[in-house]
């Protein structure tokens, strides 16, 4: 079967290529550029715990060594500290972390780690200086053409456009991309300096030295490794040019204000202007062509970060494409990518759009809403830290892949459709691993909660009690599945059985071994029974 063609070699496209390769699906990555990224410290990204773990698992690296896990967060208004948060240490067990630290990393460092991982991957071919200009699809596959020094025709099974907000794939598929332009603008500077809050990120609203300015002032400081900080200043509406002189003025007055004395010595390393757009594509799939990342959505106001959602797109789509590549297309499963991911991103966009008038409405609104300043700080913190409606990972509870009523279903602390907790598990070979280490292998995970198994070798309990019956039920499932055992799971009773999707979202939790319920849940998670017409590949047309 032909490889999957991925258009775009940014973080989302490279992550998707790695995710597919880990599931034994060959890929071709069409890179419009020269194959490396320009070092830009003013262009950095913030990753939450789930997306950091995804990249680390796929690339086989610890991103914390190349980025900065924040020690804490503080929100300030004028001269007052409104909120302070201390994050859990990176060395703590994942199931014990109640407040994991975001990771701040330069984007070129992130893509460099992904490119290095792909360099040793025989199933992935990255071709540089290749600009897409045509896509032709038919029931059996897709053909694309690139221009440039290596311009040629490429044949693939599917195409995924990860080629950014100006996506050529989206335009060729005639997909509308409505939304709002220039919702916010920020002046950005990366500099090496010593600040009073070592390792802590901060948001300073209406600082005293800027309170009379045209925007009232809002400055964000985010630490990077080696004493480097990224500072962002919210700019007033309009298209006024950000001159070097204006940026240096912002830097000096901010550092002076924070240091409560003379301007500390600093080294200006990089500058830029970051413009935020809010857009959401009408469709994310047209036949065998998909879009992901900034090609499908743009968001980023109020501290939210769109790359998280792009990486979640890749994680969601990879196992579904891998299933279609290995077992034949199942249209309901492929359609669920758009349904799940578009709904999740739309929820965050809607929350941001509703919060914008409140948070940028000026003093008049604050005067009539009692206690609104603290509420505004809480909203902004949610966006920056990946919490609440503005920032938390979306749930797939209303997904078409969610099973209906199951007689044996029981509650755990993880609601169905949300990511599972990264507990320690015993694998089929008897080794102790993290649950997240078993994700992304193209298999469903069946997790048994069995207290006491962690202190005994697997050979002593693998053939005892309910294990033989559960193993037989797992073997009978309509899709490859791996049986894992854990000592405990938050909110889960002993002998409960959890069914987990390959992307780490919980399908259901059952009380004990219930083969019929387990089979029904697994079948639903795959989009329902596969029809003969679908197995024959009859429905490769648009959805």
């Amino acid at each position: 079967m032909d490889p999957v063609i991925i258009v775009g070699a940014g973080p989302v496209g490279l992550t998707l290529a790695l995710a597919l390769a880990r599931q034994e699906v060959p890929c071709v990555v069409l890179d419009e550029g020269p194959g490396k990224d320009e070092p830009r410290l003013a262009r950095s990204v913030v990753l939450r715990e789930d997306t950091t773990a995804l990249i680390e698992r796929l690339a086989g690296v610890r991103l914390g060594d190349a980025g900065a896990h924040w020690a804490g967060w503080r929100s300030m208004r004028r001269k007052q500290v409104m909120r302070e948060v201390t994050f859990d240490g990176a060395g703590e067990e994942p199931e014990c972390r109640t407040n994991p630290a975001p990771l701040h990393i330069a984007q070129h460092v992130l893509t460099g780690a992904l490119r290095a991982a792909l360099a040793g991957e025989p199933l992935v071919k990255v071709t540089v200086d290749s600009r897409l200009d045509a896509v032709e699809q038919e029931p059996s596959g897709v053909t694309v053409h690139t221009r440039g020094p290596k311009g040629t025709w490429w044949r693939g099974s599917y195409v995924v456009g990860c080629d950014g907000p100006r996506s050529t794939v989206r335009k060729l598929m005639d997909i509308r991309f409505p939304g709002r332009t220039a919702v916010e603008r920020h002046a950005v500077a990366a500099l090496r300096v010593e600040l009073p809050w070592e390792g802590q990120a901060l948001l300073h609203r209406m600082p005293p030295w800027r309170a009379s300015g045209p925007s009232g002032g809002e400055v964000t400081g985010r630490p990077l490794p080696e004493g480097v900080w990224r500072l962002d200043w919210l700019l007033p509406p309009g298209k006024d040019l950000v001159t070097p002189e204006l940026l240096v003025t912002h830097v000096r007055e901010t550092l002076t204000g924070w240091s409560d004395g003379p301007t500390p010595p600093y080294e200006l390393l990089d500058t830029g202007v970051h413009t935020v757009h809010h857009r959401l594509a009408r469709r994310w799939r047209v036949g065998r062509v998909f879009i992901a990342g900034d090609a499908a959505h743009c968001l980023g106001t109020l501290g939210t970060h769109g790359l998280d959602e792009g990486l979640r797109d890749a994680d969601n789509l990879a196992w579904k494409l891998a299933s279609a590549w290995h077992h034949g297309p199942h249209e309901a499963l492929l359609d669920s990518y758009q349904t799940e991911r578009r709904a999740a991103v739309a929820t965050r966009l809607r929350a941001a759009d509703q919060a914008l008038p409140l948070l940028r409405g000026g003093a008049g609104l604050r005067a009539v809403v009692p206690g609104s300043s603290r509420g505004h700080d809480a909203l902004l913190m949610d966006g920056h830290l990946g919490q609440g409606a503005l920032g938390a990972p979306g749930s797939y509870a209303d997904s078409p892949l969610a099973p209906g009523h199951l007689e044996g279903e029981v509650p755990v602390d993880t609601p169905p459709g949300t990511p599972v907790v990264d507990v320690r598990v015993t694998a089929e070979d008897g080794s102790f691993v993290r649950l997240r280490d078993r994700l992304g292998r193209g298999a469903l995970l069946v997790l048994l909660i069995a207290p006491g198994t962690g202190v005994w070798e697997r050979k002593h309990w693998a053939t005892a009690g309910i294990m033989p019956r559960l193993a037989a039920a797992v073997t009978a499932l309509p899709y490859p599945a791996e049986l894992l055992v854990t000592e405990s799971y938050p909110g889960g009773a002993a002998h409960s059985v959890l069914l987990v999707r390959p992307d780490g979202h919980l399908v259901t939790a059952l009380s004990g071994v219930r083969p019929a319920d387990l089979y029904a849940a697994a079948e639903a998670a795959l989009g329902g029974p596969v029809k003969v017409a679908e197995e024959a590949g009859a429905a490769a047309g648009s959805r």
Side-chain angles (χ1 to χ4, degrees), residues 278 280 342-343 345-356 389-390:
H278 275 188
L280 184 65
R342 191 177 187 278
V345 176
T347 298
R348 286 188 66 183
L349 273 170
R350 191 178 307 114
D353 284 340
Q354 290 172 348
L356 268 169
L390 282 179

Side-chain angles (χ1 to χ4, degrees), residues 73-83 197 201-211 215-222 231-234 253-260 360 377 380 384:
W73 166 269
R74 63 172 54 202
S75 297
M76 300 177 64
R77 188 168 183 268
R78 294 192 172 94
K79 294 184 178 182
Q80 183 181 2
V81 177
M82 306 295 290
R83 287 175 174 268
W197 312 285
L202 72 150
L203 170 67
H204 199 161
R205 302 184 70 202
M206 301 186 72
W209 62 89
R210 287 294 306 267
S215 67
E218 182 173 301
V219 189
T220 307
R222 305 182 184 96
L231 305 187
D232 289 57
W233 295 267
L234 178 65
E253 69 178 10
T254 300
L255 296 184
T256 302
W258 281 346
S259 301
D260 199 21
R360 306 299 187 218
D377 288 320
L380 280 168
H384 281 276

Side-chain angles (χ1 to χ4, degrees), residues 323-535:
S323 175
W325 199 90
H326 287 294
H327 308 293
H330 191 333
E331 296 305 304
L333 182 62
L334 294 176
D335 280 345
S336 71
Y337 163 68
Q338 171 179 306
T339 305
E340 291 179 344
R341 292 301 308 143
R342 191 177 187 278
V345 176
T347 298
R348 286 188 66 183
L349 273 170
R350 191 178 307 114
D353 284 340
Q354 290 172 348
L356 268 169
L358 297 174
L359 294 168
R360 306 299 187 218
L365 186 66
R366 289 194 293 272
V368 299
V369 182
S372 62
S373 292
R374 290 188 178 275
H376 294 175
D377 288 320
L379 268 176
L380 280 168
M381 187 176 75
D382 283 348
H384 281 276
L385 302 188
Q387 303 169 346
L390 282 179
S395 168
Y396 305 149
D398 298 327
S399 166
L401 305 185
H405 173 71
L406 299 171
E407 184 178 343
E409 192 167 24
V410 293
V412 294
D413 286 357
T414 302
T418 58
V420 292
V421 177
D422 189 24
V423 296
R424 190 180 83 150
V425 299
T426 307
E428 292 181 344
D429 60 2
S431 61
F432 294 109
V433 297
R434 307 302 312 183
L435 179 57
R436 280 180 176 156
D437 291 341
R438 313 310 289 183
L439 299 175
R441 296 166 176 249
L444 296 170
L445 302 181
V446 178
L447 180 63
L448 171 67
I449 303 174
T453 51
V455 299
W456 298 96
E457 291 186 26
R458 186 181 176 96
K459 64 182 180 181
H460 295 302
W461 48 261
T463 58
I466 65 174
M467 280 296 293
R469 187 162 173 249
L470 180 57
V474 172
T475 302
L477 291 178
Y479 194 77
E482 181 179 10
L483 176 57
L484 304 168
V485 179
T486 185
E487 279 260 4
S488 63
Y489 188 90
H495 302 144
S496 297
V497 176
L498 280 62
L499 181 64
V500 183
R501 299 180 356 168
D503 59 357
H505 288 253
L506 180 67
V507 179
T508 189
L510 303 171
S511 59
V513 182
R514 296 177 174 266
D517 280 353
L518 189 63
Y519 190 97
E523 194 173 59
L526 300 171
V530 180
K531 298 178 182 179
V532 174
E534 289 180 342
E535 290 179 332

Side-chain angles (χ1 to χ4, degrees), residues 187-189 233 240-252 266 268 270-273:
V188 183
W233 295 267
D240 294 342
L241 184 64
V242 179
T243 63
E245 293 77 16
L246 177 63
L247 198 51
V248 170
T249 298
H250 283 337
V251 170
R252 293 183 63 84
Y266 67 92
L268 188 59
D270 191 18
T271 62
V273 175

